[in-house]
Amino acid sequence: MVDWFTALPLWGQIGVGLLVIAAFVAVIWMLLSLVLLPVIALIQKALEPSENSTVMPDQDYLLGTLTLGLDGVHTGEVMITGGGRARQTYPAKPYESQTTPLAKGAQVVIIEVKQGTAYVKALVLPGA
């Protein structure tokens, strides 16, 4: 085999050498791909929860309308009208200690629903 290679002219030896190097690189690339791609996928799955954003997209806000007024003492009722959900009603309480009562028909943002009760804040639109 060495006699065959040395019998080639210089340009032939260079060409065969480049083909051997290219084949070697291709084989190493395929082996690393078969080994490293699953490892990278596992690492990405493990790190996925840490990529969560603390900013809530607009479509995730639940908007509602009060069907019964709400003040700091009495529980009201809110009907969910936004977020792509079917209309649902929940008992409503203020999210934080709120001294200003909210009248029937007021637009609110549902902050959380806990044990069947919606905790709401008044919807404040920019420029309003």
Side-chain angles (χ1 to χ4, degrees):
M1 176 118 169
V2 174
D3 291 335
W4 169 81
F5 183 73
T6 55
L8 290 174
L10 181 62
W11 61 269
Q13 290 177 359
I14 293 173
V16 169
L18 289 175
L19 283 174
V20 168
I21 291 172
F24 179 75
V25 168
V27 167
I28 294 297
W29 181 272
M30 285 187 276
L31 288 176
L32 286 176
S33 295
L34 289 173
V35 172
L36 290 180
L37 283 180
V39 172
I40 290 171
L42 287 174
I43 291 171
Q44 184 177 9
K45 278 287 190 193
L47 295 177
E48 190 174 285
S50 66
E51 296 175 2
N52 290 339
S53 173
T54 57
V55 178
M56 196 171 171
D58 289 343
Q59 66 266 22
D60 287 348
Y61 288 114
L62 283 179
L63 302 178
T65 304
L66 289 178
T67 55
L68 289 175
L70 173 70
D71 60 24
V73 179
H74 298 100
T75 301
E77 185 180 63
V78 64
M79 179 172 50
I80 295 177
T81 56
R85 289 185 164 191
R87 292 185 181 217
Q88 299 170 327
T89 57
Y90 290 99
K93 290 187 177 181
Y95 177 66
E96 298 168 337
S97 58
Q98 182 174 328
T99 57
T100 335
L102 295 172
K104 177 181 177 180
Q107 297 292 312
V108 293
V109 177
I110 292 118
I111 305 298
E112 66 180 338
V113 177
K114 192 186 307 179
Q115 296 179 347
T117 301
Y119 291 88
V120 300
K121 284 182 88 168
L123 177 63
V124 180
L125 297 173

